[in-house]
Amino acid sequence: VIIEMPRGGRWPRTSVLTTDLVTRSKCIVQISNTADELCCARAIGVGLARLVHDVFSPTAAPPPWLNRRLIAHCWGKSKYEKLTKRPIPQRALAIELHTLAGVAQGECGLKEIAAFQAFFNTMGVNVNVFSRPHHDHLIVTGNKENERDLYLYNIRNHFHTVVSVPAFIRKAFYCNRCK
């Protein structure tokens, strides 16, 4: 049995049902890049900005776990909102993430996600991936010792950010530790 593992790249033309799932769902931030193949890093960047957004306070300093080179991209009152709607800040953050993690720019598969995970382990962040071809199950999970989790959704070889896992799996509660 040969199982083809997902790779991220361009957002392909899809069926109405698949596109509808991503565009109408409020628990997923759609990553819409057409020219570059940075959808995985863009989705990771939006997920990271969501984690930072949840702890943001105008009077507080950036969290100590956040990498210094990522503060300019993620820390601020409206950074998360800008990253969810505008492709230019997403691209800048994606390029910075590729540089920091030592991953070549382009399509990302499981090997590249493992490299991103190794980088994010230093910040105590897990990168978890749900996959549509695998019936929306987790195919990648990080270390259980890490305190924070961000979630991606791979659908037709393209990555998006999951911002609410309970809504995504249609359950009232989701335990990040138990998965």
Side-chain angles (χ1 to χ4, degrees), residues 2-18:
I2 297 174
I3 299 174
E4 184 179 332
M5 296 314 284
R7 295 195 60 81
R10 295 186 179 138
W11 178 240
R13 293 178 187 219
T14 60
S15 69
V16 174
L17 179 63
T18 303

Side-chain angles (χ1 to χ4, degrees), residues 106-127:
E107 280 189 2
C108 288
L110 296 181
K111 184 176 92 173
E112 289 82 6
I113 290 174
F116 281 120
Q117 180 61 60
F119 168 68
F120 278 106
N121 279 338
T122 63
M123 294 190 285
V125 176
N126 288 326
V127 178

Side-chain angles (χ1 to χ4, degrees), residues 56-76:
F56 176 75
S57 169
T59 58
W65 54 265
L66 185 61
N67 184 296
R68 290 182 187 175
R69 290 177 59 183
L70 297 175
I71 290 173
H73 297 284
C74 297
W75 186 252

Side-chain angles (χ1 to χ4, degrees), residues 99-174:
T99 303
L100 289 171
V103 176
Q105 291 182 28
E107 280 189 2
C108 288
L110 296 181
K111 184 176 92 173
E112 289 82 6
I113 290 174
F116 281 120
Q117 180 61 60
F119 168 68
F120 278 106
N121 279 338
T122 63
M123 294 190 285
V125 176
N126 288 326
V127 178
N128 304 289
V129 180
F130 288 102
S131 178
R132 177 72 177 173
H134 298 92
H135 307 288
D136 295 342
H137 286 86
L138 277 172
I139 60 168
V140 175
T141 58
N143 298 335
K144 288 195 175 194
E145 296 86 33
N146 291 343
E147 301 169 11
R148 290 161 289 279
D149 291 282
L150 63 88
Y151 293 88
L152 308 180
Y153 184 46
N154 180 278
I155 182 168
R156 296 186 53 121
N157 293 329
H158 188 77
F159 289 96
H160 302 282
T161 307
V162 177
V163 293
S164 174
V165 177
F168 177 75
I169 62 172
R170 297 172 188 88
K171 302 284 183 192
F173 177 74
Y174 180 78

Side-chain angles (χ1 to χ4, degrees), residues 29-46:
V29 174
Q30 182 179 2
I31 305 299
S32 314
N33 58 318
T34 55
D36 61 14
E37 295 180 335
L38 299 174
C39 66
C40 181
R42 285 174 185 248
I44 290 172
V46 171

Side-chain angles (χ1 to χ4, degrees), residues 90-104:
Q90 281 180 6
R91 180 174 169 73
L93 179 54
I95 290 170
E96 186 70 27
L97 285 171
H98 273 279
T99 303
L100 289 171
V103 176

